[in-house]
Amino acid sequence: MSTLPARAERRCHNAVNPLHSCLFFSPDLGAELGKLGFEDPSAVYFATRAAAFGPVGAGTVTATFYNFNPALVAEHVPAVWSVASPEQVLGARLRAADTTLRRLLGEEIIASDAMAEAARLALRATEACTPHARPLYAAHAELPVPDEPHLAFWHAATLLREHRGDAHLAALLAAGLDPVESLVSHTATGKGMAIRWILSSRGWRRTDWEAASDRLRERGLLVAGEEPALTDAGTALRAEVEEATDRMDRAPYEHLGAEGVERLTELGRGFLFTAASNGAFPSEATGR
């Protein structure tokens, strides 16, 4: 029995996670990895997110990233490690996070008591994260916590994001949604990413999208029509996926307690408002 208000962990995640994920939309990341010799945006993404694993091959990245075309992964991994070592990539990633947060939040927030408090709360929540069956979280949990509060907050947000993300993949797998079906059904909720951006960034073709849509229609999860829309059964299945994710991700927030979760959510929303006002999230990723 949870001691938290309903969906409190999801609300907190939604307030904190964008301060982690904004890095992947930031020009600062490409600039830092460009100094190491990276040019292709997909190579930048795979190297940045997989570096905590060490110099792994395409199989590990395909398995843990879930919704990327294996052919796209194999095009860049393990070749990225011939451009720069994982240690070099991790250093560049942290420098990019520093530059990005300073630009999006401003020096006053970076140096504020609120940022230091947010870092303490987020790190306290990570004390209850667990590594079993969570490979991306487990790899990142072995990285040192940065000294500066805004980077400690970003590090904790990364841990919380990967902890929940690993659980979400387990929920998708249990629901019988393969990588492309997961993307189609998420877009059909009305909360997903733009289809064109998904196809280009995940490496799938339009025929892959249409085939996945047909499979979902055969299961009674997707209605007929050009624009993806869920049936009642599809809506229920996606709700089950989110609820299962919440259950598997509840421990960090239970550990933080209702008051701490509420405060971290409040702080995260404040930071998020400022970051969004400064252009943290590009419209091409979110527009329909």
Side-chain angles (χ1 to χ4, degrees):
M1 180 73 69
S2 175
T3 62
L4 299 175
R7 299 181 180 175
E9 60 282 301
R10 194 185 307 182
R11 289 192 294 274
C12 193
H13 165 78
N14 290 341
V16 171
N17 175 58
L19 276 303
H20 150 80
S21 61
C22 68
L23 177 66
F24 295 100
F25 299 100
S26 170
D28 305 312
L29 181 61
E32 283 292 344
L33 267 75
K35 296 173 186 177
L36 298 179
F38 289 92
E39 297 179 359
D40 188 281
S42 292
V44 168
Y45 179 81
F46 291 136
T48 301
R49 194 150 174 244
F53 283 131
V56 295
T60 299
V61 174
T62 298
T64 55
F65 286 27
Y66 198 76
N67 60 26
F68 287 81
N69 189 328
L72 177 64
V73 177
E75 184 180 336
H76 298 287
V77 181
V80 292
W81 311 127
S82 66
V83 178
S85 69
E87 293 76 16
Q88 289 174 308
V89 172
L90 289 170
R93 182 176 79 168
L94 198 61
R95 291 192 297 273
D98 179 43
T99 304
T100 298
L101 291 177
R102 289 181 185 278
R103 175 169 51 82
L104 294 178
L105 298 179
E107 294 298 329
E108 184 175 347
I109 290 179
I110 292 295
S112 68
D113 291 341
M115 178 58 73
E117 181 184 6
R120 288 194 299 271
L121 290 170
L123 286 170
R124 189 186 308 162
T126 67
E127 292 171 356
C129 291
T130 53
H132 44 270
R134 288 183 167 92
L136 267 169
Y137 161 75
H140 283 84
E142 293 185 340
L143 300 178
V145 179
D147 293 328
E148 295 185 76
H150 68 293
L151 293 179
F153 174 73
W154 185 84
H155 173 80
T158 301
L159 296 184
L160 292 171
R161 183 265 177 272
E162 300 299 7
H163 189 267
R164 184 177 182 85
D166 287 337
H168 188 62
L169 299 190
L172 290 171
L173 195 63
L177 294 170
D178 70 23
V180 189
E181 292 166 358
S182 299
L183 292 167
V184 173
S185 60
H186 186 227
T187 294
T189 65
K191 301 176 182 179
M193 299 172 286
I195 296 173
R196 182 179 299 179
W197 190 81
I198 292 173
L199 295 178
S200 64
S201 65
R202 268 54 180 171
W204 300 107
R205 299 166 298 179
R206 188 73 196 203
T207 53
D208 298 316
W209 184 274
E210 292 168 354
S213 298
D214 287 342
R215 293 194 298 274
L216 292 174
R217 291 188 189 99
E218 290 171 4
R219 291 175 61 184
L221 302 175
L222 201 68
V223 301
E226 199 167 307
E227 286 294 317
L230 296 173
T231 63
D232 289 344
T235 298
L237 184 64
R238 287 298 318 195
E240 288 174 13
V241 167
E242 297 303 327
E243 289 164 7
T245 302
D246 287 345
R247 287 194 300 273
M248 288 185 280
D249 189 43
R250 190 162 289 148
Y253 304 96
E254 292 280 8
H255 179 69
L256 188 56
E259 185 177 338
V261 169
E262 182 180 2
R263 178 58 176 160
L264 181 57
T265 303
E266 177 186 11
L267 290 167
R269 285 174 175 167
F271 300 154
L272 182 56
F273 177 82
T274 300
S277 299
N278 289 322
F281 311 105
S283 59
E284 63 267 22
T286 55
R288 293 297 297 279

